[in-house]
Amino acid sequence: MVPLLLVLLLILILLGAGFALKILWWLAIAVLLIWLIGFVVRPTGTGGRRGRWYRW
């Protein structure tokens, strides 16, 4: 009975990790797209030079 419960627990952990990793991949892709779009739509600064869209 214990090995069966351990296998079921392992399956649940792997399914949960797979779901979380898939969500993290989609989140990373969304952040990358927003970051790339930020370079395209940056406002122009003084002298016609494009400024940074972030404040670091």
Side-chain angles (χ1 to χ4, degrees):
M1 187 71 171
V2 173
L4 179 63
L5 290 175
L6 289 175
V7 169
L8 288 175
L9 182 64
L10 180 65
I11 290 171
L12 285 174
I13 290 171
L14 290 176
L15 282 174
F19 179 74
L21 288 176
K22 187 172 183 178
I23 292 291
L24 289 176
W25 271 108
W26 284 112
L27 184 65
I29 290 171
V31 169
L32 177 66
L33 286 175
I34 291 170
W35 184 64
L36 289 174
I37 289 171
F39 280 111
V40 176
V41 293
R42 312 184 275 203
T44 56
T46 57
R49 203 176 129 219
R50 290 224 179 244
R52 293 182 299 191
W53 65 279
Y54 52 85
R55 302 249 186 234
W56 289 351

